Amino acid sequence: MPTLILVRHGRSTANTAGLLAGWTPGVALDERGAQQAAALPGRLAGLPISEVVSSPLQRCQETIQPLLDARPGLRAHTEERIGEAHYGDWSGRKLAELKDEPLMEVVQAHPSAAAFPGGESMRAMQTRAAEAVREWNARVERDHGGDAVYLMCSHGDIIKSLVADALGLHLDLFQRISVEPCSITAIRYTRLRPFLVRLGDTGDFASLAPREEPPGGDAPVGGGAGAP
């Protein structure tokens, strides 16, 4: 079965503003995010990518555009099921104020029980994304063969949930996974099991350096803004 390259969108204006964007329209890449997207074709130059599948949200569409420009024959598809979590009433709010919401503790420690007010549950988010990947695996294998490589551009929580699914981890453990903006995660699917062969690879180790203000123990909902 195919190898899936998961790319999180580049850093967005919501990431730098500390907002939980969700499906809020008009959230674009910031200057650094545009640079990350521009570097993506070079990072993927050695891969024979057969298809590109993207979330419909602007920040993902902008992330894949340089790759499509560099490979004019590459087919691109939009897939709503790998769009960001539907955060409902939380969408567009500052993460700093959301941390005091009682639901945030559930999101952090017991996400399989979390459902966003006016939005969807985290279980539903993972289910739709995993179903989309399985259907695209079958489609890519049918059209391009079992050794094909294809790319999906999606969002932090979606990619983390797909990694958990591939590893057989309960959704309650997915907050232990980290994927930075424009990072590359690769999953090779086989008939019996998936293999996680890359996780959150940016080629940049700046985010591992000590910071003046050490990060807390909570996982960044939506994926975080990456290295400063």
Side-chain angles (χ1 to χ4, degrees), residues 6-9 155-161 163 176-185 198-202 220 222-226:
L6 287 162
V7 177
R8 185 184 167 201
H9 61 79
H155 307 265
D157 282 349
I158 296 290
I159 294 173
K160 288 162 56 178
S161 74
V163 170
R176 303 183 183 196
I177 299 166
S178 176
V179 288
E180 292 199 0
C182 224
S183 63
I184 293 173
T185 294
R198 292 288 188 281
L199 176 61
D201 188 344
T202 63

Side-chain angles (χ1 to χ4, degrees), residues 1-2 163 174 192:
M1 294 179 70
V163 170
F174 101 125
L192 296 180

